[in-house]
Amino acid sequence: MKKMQLFFEKYAFGVCSKLGEKLGIASSSIRLYFIYASFLTFGSPLIIYLVLAFVLNMRKHLRRKRNSIWYY
């Protein structure tokens, strides 16, 4: 079970774990709420999840420290 969780954390953007860290809630309960909400609303939270994944990915790229103006 732990291998499966690590696989999804690595390849599923880590949105639930990041939200869990920020809000102080267990990431497993956030995942469960996300799954329940997806079933009840026919998958519309998937859009929110993808937007959050995009924002987290952009923040990760913007945080990179550049050494000089000749970086590229």
Side-chain angles (χ1 to χ4, degrees):
M1 188 66 175
K2 191 71 171 172
K3 283 184 177 182
M4 187 185 306
Q5 181 181 1
L6 290 174
F7 174 79
F8 280 112
E9 294 253 340
K10 184 177 181 183
Y11 293 109
F13 309 112
V15 172
C16 294
S17 60
K18 195 65 152 179
L19 278 174
E21 289 174 8
K22 289 281 187 183
L23 299 174
I25 302 172
S27 60
S28 59
S29 63
I30 292 175
R31 285 185 193 98
L32 282 175
Y33 291 135
F34 176 74
I35 291 169
Y36 295 150
S38 295
F39 282 126
L40 291 175
T41 60
F42 303 110
S44 63
L46 184 62
I47 296 168
I48 296 169
Y49 185 86
L50 291 175
V51 168
L52 286 173
F54 177 75
V55 168
L56 287 175
N57 194 18
M58 291 305 295
R59 288 180 75 196
K60 183 172 48 174
H61 287 294
L62 291 176
R63 281 190 208 163
R64 270 192 295 177
K65 191 174 185 178
R66 295 191 172 101
N67 296 330
S68 69
I69 60 171
W70 307 109
Y71 181 75
Y72 295 104

